[in-house]
Amino acid sequence: MAEVLISAISTPPGVGGVAIVRVSGQGALCLAEKMFAPSGKTAVKDFAPNYMYTGNILCDGFSDYGMCVYFKAPKSYTGEDVVEFHCHGGTEIARGVLKATLAAGARSAGRGEFTKRAFINGKLSLSSAEGVIDMINAESLAEVRAGGLLYSEKLTGEVKKIQSSLTDILAGIAADTDYPEEDIDKCELASLSTDLQGICTALDDLIAAYSGGKLIKSGVSVAICGAPNVGKSSLLNALLGYDKAIVSPVAGTTRDAVEGTIIIDGVKYHLTDTAGIREQAGDIESIGIERAKRAVNTADVVVCVSDCADFCAADGVQEDRLLKVFSKADGGKPFGGYDVAISSLTGAGLEDLKSKLAAKATGGRSLDNAYVIEERHYSALKRAREKLAAAVAGMQSFPLDIISLDIREGWRILGEITGETADEEIINTVFAKFCVGK
């Protein structure tokens, strides 16, 4: 059944060259007839799909010379008839065009309602829709790439492949249940167990990929620590490319965390310059030192800076998240035990530090093909894996019709990712992340 007409401004608010007002639903072209006067001889009702037509957009109190394009269902973003008015940019012009569409019979679209209709009409999966919003909200190239992979149905394809294998297994179990006289033998039972274990392994690979996806989504937290006056603040400023932290020869100048963000290989790195850690400190500085210790304990990567062979601030930090940086490569005497030698003054070693920082954060693996980036997907994959592992564990102890219950539940949970079995609450939660107009 065709949906009622909805309308919204699909471009950001503010002054710009062009603004777009989108209308979707049954009767979109009829609405355009009421408020668009073509400059050529073609009447609105005769508009060819996917062509731009110039003319006057008629609004209350003014008209704007712009363009109108018609997308005929089902070959549109939403799968419904869609009309877009391309007017001059500007807050009042776009609002005026929107008001005209509402006066002509449309209602205001809700958050993400255009994409929700695309999902309902089978134009994209639920995970693909999440890829759309990830791309829109992306703050790094890696987020754009990961969102693009989701949008292109990469995860949906992997999940449907697993679901197809589970369907085949369930069909075999159903046949055995319907014809018990055939009785599945031990060889077939072993094969069934092997198939399920293979599916568990495939799920393990997807689950493991979330560690990289989480870095893309949230960024990498980096704590810069060390004793006072070893060059931590200078390093932060050098990495950021501007003076964010105060640099002073006076010990204890940095008393609270100073933060900044950089991009390395398309991934965000959230840098925190912490207070210098030392035994003798005043009350206020001691608070900063305690905060520094908390930052070190929770960071994905700890950059411990020193101008000598003493890296005492790194005590207790696991090697897999620690980088030891010698900070005086422009004048100090080199020593062993550090990972990178840098000079914040000359810039020497900074690119090497960035490279090693990225390798430490990612474990040396490429994030170019990461597409498991949503917590919701990660949770569903783990829950499905638990159900299938339970099926494998019970293979020798329970009848196959009982085993099939866990397999069916695993299949259903995977369907939450694509939207095939997602309930209304899940769907509404996903589209609540969207802005109006998308």
Side-chain angles (χ1 to χ4, degrees):
M1 184 178 69
E3 293 280 357
V4 297
L5 283 168
I6 57 172
S7 179
I9 301 170
S10 291
T11 43
V15 177
V18 176
I20 299 174
V21 177
R22 177 183 290 164
V23 181
S24 179
Q26 186 178 30
L29 195 60
C30 292
L31 179 145
E33 285 188 82
K34 299 176 183 178
M35 54 178 291
F36 190 75
S39 54
K41 295 181 179 180
T42 305
V44 171
K45 65 182 179 63
D46 296 322
F47 276 5
N50 310 319
Y51 282 85
M52 301 290 292
Y53 292 89
T54 58
N56 285 301
I57 306 169
L58 309 177
C59 305
D60 184 15
F62 75 94
S63 67
D64 182 45
Y65 189 76
M67 294 178 289
C68 178
V69 58
Y70 167 53
F71 302 98
K72 184 176 177 59
K75 295 181 179 181
S76 70
Y77 180 72
T78 62
E80 305 167 345
D81 279 355
V82 172
V83 164
E84 288 181 356
F85 298 101
H86 295 233
C87 59
H88 286 96
T91 302
E92 289 307 313
I93 296 176
R95 283 179 181 171
V97 176
L98 175 62
K99 287 179 182 178
T101 65
L102 301 181
R107 67 162 173 81
S108 294
R111 283 180 172 269
E113 192 168 359
F114 291 101
T115 305
K116 185 176 183 179
R117 289 190 176 195
F119 163 67
I120 291 171
N121 292 324
K123 301 295 288 186
L124 75 176
S125 69
L126 194 59
S127 62
S128 180
E130 288 168 290
V132 172
I133 194 62
D134 284 336
M135 293 179 71
I136 291 173
N137 292 334
E139 296 180 352
S140 69
L141 180 59
E143 287 180 274
V144 173
R145 288 196 297 253
L149 287 170
L150 262 186
Y151 179 52
S152 64
E153 308 282 13
K154 179 69 174 176
L155 181 59
T156 294
E158 296 294 332
V159 168
K160 285 188 174 294
K161 189 188 304 180
I162 293 172
Q163 284 184 303
S164 178
S165 297
L166 292 176
T167 299
D168 291 341
I169 290 172
L170 288 169
I173 292 175
D176 178 73
T177 303
D178 291 340
Y179 301 98
E181 65 278 4
E182 297 294 331
D183 195 24
I184 190 167
D185 58 30
K186 290 184 179 180
C187 181
E188 290 175 293
L189 195 63
S191 176
L192 185 62
S193 177
T194 300
D195 290 343
L196 281 175
Q197 288 172 346
I199 292 173
C200 286
T201 299
L203 288 173
D204 286 337
D205 291 339
L206 290 174
I207 291 168
Y210 179 67
S211 60
K214 188 177 181 181
L215 293 180
I216 290 175
K217 187 80 172 178
S218 304
V220 180
S221 60
V222 180
I224 303 174
C225 70
N229 286 342
V230 294
K232 301 184 301 300
S233 298
S234 295
L235 175 57
L236 175 70
N237 291 341
L239 287 171
L240 294 178
Y242 62 93
D243 291 342
K244 178 71 178 284
I246 297 173
V247 177
S248 167
V250 179
T253 299
T254 302
R255 298 190 175 189
D256 203 352
V258 181
E259 300 175 339
T261 300
I262 61 172
I263 304 292
I264 303 174
D265 294 336
V267 178
K268 291 180 297 184
Y269 286 75
H270 305 294
L271 309 176
T272 302
D273 173 26
T274 64
I277 298 175
R278 60 174 175 165
E279 294 298 326
Q280 302 297 324
D283 291 341
I284 295 177
E285 188 182 347
S286 294
I287 295 173
I289 291 172
E290 286 305 310
R291 291 181 179 178
K293 290 177 179 178
R294 286 200 297 271
V296 168
N297 290 334
T298 58
D300 296 315
V301 181
V302 176
V303 174
C304 188
V305 183
S306 181
D307 55 2
C308 64
D310 185 9
F311 286 97
C312 61
D315 290 347
V317 179
Q318 305 95 318
E319 284 295 325
D320 63 350
R321 63 187 189 98
L322 175 64
L323 272 178
K324 295 180 180 180
V325 176
F326 173 54
S327 59
K328 302 292 177 66
D330 55 302
K333 185 178 180 181
F335 54 83
Y338 60 86
D339 299 302
V340 189
I342 64 102
S343 168
S344 299
L345 181 63
T346 66
L350 289 181
E351 291 305 314
D352 187 27
L353 173 58
K354 291 178 182 180
S355 177
K356 284 185 168 61
L357 189 59
K360 185 71 70 172
T362 63
R365 66 188 182 280
S366 171
L367 300 182
D368 288 345
N369 293 315
Y371 50 87
V372 183
I373 59 175
E374 296 288 341
E375 173 69 28
R376 186 181 78 81
H377 302 160
Y378 175 65
S379 174
L381 290 168
K382 286 207 305 180
R383 287 186 289 119
R385 205 303 187 176
E386 288 170 3
K387 289 298 180 182
L388 298 182
V392 173
M395 197 72 73
Q396 301 297 329
S397 307
F398 299 101
L400 286 178
D401 56 342
I402 300 299
I403 297 297
S404 70
L405 296 178
D406 280 329
I407 299 174
R408 289 183 187 279
E409 182 61 7
W411 189 98
R412 187 201 66 76
I413 293 170
L414 290 173
E416 292 179 5
I417 295 175
T418 64
E420 193 171 1
T421 60
D423 59 28
E424 193 67 22
E425 182 179 358
I426 292 175
I427 293 170
N428 289 338
T429 299
V430 168
F431 289 104
K433 300 176 185 177
F434 281 67
C435 58
V436 173
K438 185 57 181 174

